[in-house]
Amino acid sequence: MAANTTTTTTAYEPRTVPEPVFAEERSVGRPSGILIVDSEEINRRLMKAIFKTAPYRIHEARRASEAMRMLQSERIDLVILDLML
């Protein structure tokens, strides 16, 4: 090291990750809604199968216009979409 050089080391505390809030614990008393938007049926079926065992209400849309209508009429907490619609 050259003369008059200072080195600083900073230690950070690990961030605590909050526990997940499951649908049963929500104050509204009903499962979270997930909207799956994909033009390919096989992709929608795969996503539904992934979430099948969890306490979610699964909604599907094939097109963006269907998804927009569903977002206006249903309580959706998460949207999973294919950007190549």
Side-chain angles (χ1 to χ4, degrees), residues 8-35:
T8 304
T9 303
T10 306
Y12 295 97
E13 291 292 320
R15 182 182 292 187
T16 57
V17 178
E19 290 293 318
V21 177
F22 295 100
E24 304 86 42
E25 300 170 354
R26 296 174 59 109
S27 60
V28 292
R30 65 181 190 190
S32 298
I34 298 177
L35 174 58

Side-chain angles (χ1 to χ4, degrees), residues 21-34 54-59 70-77:
V21 177
F22 295 100
E24 304 86 42
E25 300 170 354
R26 296 174 59 109
S27 60
V28 292
R30 65 181 190 190
S32 298
I34 298 177
Y56 299 115
R57 292 176 299 113
I58 304 296
H59 303 274
M70 208 166 289
L71 286 168
Q72 292 172 349
S73 64
E74 298 289 333
R75 181 167 173 260
I76 304 295
D77 299 297

